[in-house]
Amino acid sequence: STAMRWIGGRYRSAPFPGRIDSALMRTGADVFKSRCANCHGTYGEGRPRAMRTYPNSLIEQSVINTDSLRWAALDSSSIVILNRTAYGRHVASRTSAGYVAPILSGVWSSAPYFHNGSVPTLEAMLWPARRPARFLVGGHALDFRTVGIAGVMWSDSTMRYDPRYVPWSLPDLYDTRMPGLSNRGHERQFARLSDAEKWAVIEYLKTL
């Protein structure tokens, strides 16, 4: 499509504003190529990297296992209504049983993650056991190490901002226990990666 050609050829995301470990990043590039590129696409050289290929593939629920409410809610009646809107002229909507893996250009700047915004950092994405049950979002600072919302875990499994930080907009409390807001899924894809490989992937993702 025209949009894909623009993203692949002319679009450049903003460069990551922090330091990048080049050696670690190169390791992460190899891991990404072997474990992630089939769904999320391939990216060129330089910083930031331009998208080269994008599969635009539907990932079935049984494979990704993220919260299913959004795809399940789009039934045939919803599609009829959607197609009558201005938005419907630009998309080919259909029912599905999963989600299309997103383009990752500028992923460092797009927290929180997953289709429903249920994971606050890339670290929490790659280490599912570290995903907070609740976290603040909005007016947040960026954590350059974990890549995402800067916060501190409290004893009630809630990630809040540092008490000294003054948010630039009113934060909201995201509760993953609410319908449609679950942070489950995408666990098997990381299960066989070592901690070192996970940190390497994060370093690579900073360059997209």
Side-chain angles (χ1 to χ4, degrees), residues 60-148:
E60 296 289 337
Q61 178 70 21
S62 59
V63 175
I64 200 66
N65 201 35
T66 51
D67 192 290
S68 62
L69 184 61
R70 293 195 184 192
W71 69 254
L74 189 64
D75 58 14
S76 56
S77 298
S78 302
I79 290 176
V80 170
I81 295 171
L82 178 63
N83 287 337
R84 292 173 181 164
T85 68
Y87 180 75
R89 293 198 298 268
H90 303 284
V91 297
S93 301
R94 59 185 174 87
T95 57
S96 69
Y99 299 105
V100 174
I103 294 169
L104 297 180
S105 298
V107 67
W108 66 265
S109 63
S110 60
Y113 301 106
F114 281 177
H115 67 277
N116 58 359
S118 60
V119 179
T121 66
L122 292 181
E123 179 194 23
M125 179 177 288
L126 271 74
W127 281 270
R130 301 180 188 179
R131 297 173 188 173
R134 303 190 303 170
F135 60 91
L136 290 179
V137 58
H140 49 267
L142 176 68
D143 189 311
F144 285 4
R145 179 175 179 272
T146 63
V147 186

Side-chain angles (χ1 to χ4, degrees), residues 23-86:
L24 188 61
M25 179 272 294
R26 286 192 291 272
T27 299
D30 292 337
V31 177
F32 184 92
K33 183 178 180 181
S34 64
R35 300 297 297 271
C36 313
N38 283 343
C39 294
H40 291 286
T42 60
Y43 300 82
E45 299 301 321
R47 298 180 190 173
R49 301 169 184 268
M51 184 185 71
R52 281 183 174 171
T53 64
Y54 176 55
N56 198 27
S57 299
L58 177 73
I59 311 302
E60 296 289 337
Q61 178 70 21
S62 59
V63 175
I64 200 66
N65 201 35
T66 51
D67 192 290
S68 62
L69 184 61
R70 293 195 184 192
W71 69 254
L74 189 64
D75 58 14
S76 56
S77 298
S78 302
I79 290 176
V80 170
I81 295 171
L82 178 63
N83 287 337
R84 292 173 181 164
T85 68

